Amino acid sequence: MTTWVEPEGGRERGPVGLAKSFTQVLVNPRTFFAEAVSPGDQAPGLAFAMAVVLVEETTRLALAPERALGFPAPTAVSVALTVALAVLLVAPAALHALSAVQTLVLAAVAPDRGGVSETVQVLAYASAPCAFVGVSAPAVTFVCGLWAFALLVLGTRVVHDVSLPRAVLAAAAPGVLAYGSGFGWFAATAALFPWTGEYMPWVEQSARTALALAAGPAPGV
């Protein structure tokens, strides 16, 4: 049986479950976060984030295959390898690293927060609008980045039961890194509004510093 639902909430598995999650989180996000995110149910969220990256990268490289990583292989193979790396390695690693950052902030501002698995799910589902940024149009990327951050703030507020200011604080660093750097919101904003270009590197570096501090010292240091 390949499609099933957790007995205590959670998301339906399989392609149909992914499609339903995508539609629901965009159309009715408050209800989605309240009903669909459940403790210990990370697998559907991880699959969702990977699917978003799959759609985004496939679209981006279909429109501009020359942007694939420089493998010593035919273009089609380079494109396939680039997509595979993004989906299978980068997306899961980034999702869990950013979840760690948000968990640390939540530990300070929300003692009665939900668990790490809920944070992973919120970050994953909030990325839904980023499936569209593969078209590489600055206006689309700009809107989708703001939309994704708004979903992240809303999901954090609903799932972890915190106030709006605390939700914004908890979402700031992972949102900046995921949508600003990862999905290109900074570049799109600078392209649309050139006067913002000088501020974007500073914001990005601040978020990267937060991520490094969250990771802590290397073993043995």
Side-chain angles (χ1 to χ4, degrees), residues 7 28 45 71 76 132 157 167 190 195 200:
N28 193 4
F71 293 102
F132 301 112
R157 185 179 185 188
W195 59 270
M200 295 303 165

Side-chain angles (χ1 to χ4, degrees), residues 148-176:
F149 185 73
L151 289 177
L152 179 57
V153 172
L154 176 61
T156 299
R157 185 179 185 188
V158 171
V159 172
H160 295 289
D161 192 24
V162 295
S163 64
L164 179 59
R166 293 186 178 190
V168 172
L169 179 62
V176 164

Side-chain angles (χ1 to χ4, degrees), residues 46 49-50 53 85-102 119-120 123-124 127 173-175 177-179 181-183 208 211:
L46 176 58
M50 294 170 70
V53 174
L85 284 173
V87 173
L88 300 177
L89 294 179
V90 177
L95 178 62
H96 286 90
L98 295 173
S99 297
V101 174
Q102 187 168 20
T119 302
V120 171
L123 276 162
S127 68
L177 289 168
Y179 315 130
S181 300
F183 286 104
R208 290 185 183 278
L211 179 60

Side-chain angles (χ1 to χ4, degrees), residues 9-36:
R11 300 306 305 155
E12 182 179 349
R13 269 62 169 174
V16 174
L18 288 174
K20 287 181 178 179
S21 296
F22 183 80
T23 302
Q24 291 167 5
V25 75
L26 294 180
V27 174
N28 193 4
R30 183 179 295 275
T31 300
F32 177 86
F33 285 120
E35 298 179 354

